[in-house]
Amino acid sequence: MDSLDELTHELFTFFNGFSSWENSVIKTSELSVSEAHAIEILGTHGQMKMKTLAGHLGVTTGTTTVTVDRLEKKDYARREAVKEDRRIHLITLTQKGQQAFAEHHQYHSNLTEQILSVLSVEENQQLINILKKINAEAF
Amino acid sequence: MDSLDELTHELFTFFNGFSSWENSVIKTSELSVSEAHAIEILGTHGQMKMKTLAGHLGVTTGTTTVTVDRLEKKDYARREAVKEDRRIHLITLTQKGQQAFAEHHQYHSNLTEQILSVLSVEENQQLINILKKINAEAF
DNA sequence: AAAATTAGTTTGAATATCAAACAATCATAA
DNA sequence: TTATGATTGTTTGATATTCAAACTAATTTT
């Protein structure tokens, strides 16, 4: 097996491990996968309009309407009117939504610690360095 | 921002980039996400029974029945009887299914090359080394 | 002011998913 | 060897997810 194949294999094994970990974490919450993703985006980037949220989620605005409806019903988010343009609604996390975001972030930190525990200090630095490069340039 | 937070951020940025890349690749095909996942698992591990496939997919056997029905209808996979135990069906990729798997694998290689292009030879080696450790021990 | 554009919602259809009930087959124990 | 129990996979009924296209309301352009 050449180096390209080897890296491909390790990359996708890693990705799949991450995926199933993420899914199992979400299943412990009261949220669906799409709701959890919306909360993560809103928590990370702050309030935004429907169209921007749809863009981040990679789905249509129609789908996003439904997701935000459910989040609103469960009191994780709310729509806020904008005076300057009454077509626009800013989606904002409620207290409960921010709480859920914080909890989810804690889970992420836990996984990172788990990963760190199998790496040396030097490897940790290498990994940060490499990920920064990839994130900035590769996608 | 401490080192743990920094790594958490880079890890999940990387994971999200990977996710949306994977989804956009699947959207170019005639396959749904769940069908593509099933093909990837069957292509990687070879033929297996429903229950094992369901386990790999992280869904119930009921859901897997539906997925395999569709793959069979589109001629990507077929059920094979087992003489020793007639309850079991081995799910096998057809020629067309293997073709689809090969194409998908090619996409994966392309992404890996894209990632490699922003790394030095040394960083490439570091990344393989680190991923191997994580995949073997962390999840 | 009319026409075109934009933001978001609704609708109708296909797919995804689960839990629970079910049918067929196999294994075990009396 | 039969009766009981366990396993494998399918079906069913319900809810969730998603999209494209039609639609409404508001804003911008001409």
Side-chain angles (χ1 to χ4, degrees), chain A residues 32 34 58-60 63 70 85-87:
Chain A
S32 72
S34 56
V59 298
T60 63
T63 300
R70 257 196 313 278
D85 186 340
R86 291 194 298 167
R87 291 170 304 181

Side-chain angles (χ1 to χ4, degrees), chain A residues 17 26 32 39 51 61 72 78 88-89 96 113 128:
Chain A
I26 290 174
S32 72
I39 287 177
K51 214 187 173 189
T61 55
E72 213 164 25
R78 65 170 178 276
I88 293 177
H89 300 120
K96 189 175 171 190
E113 274 185 335
I128 289 181

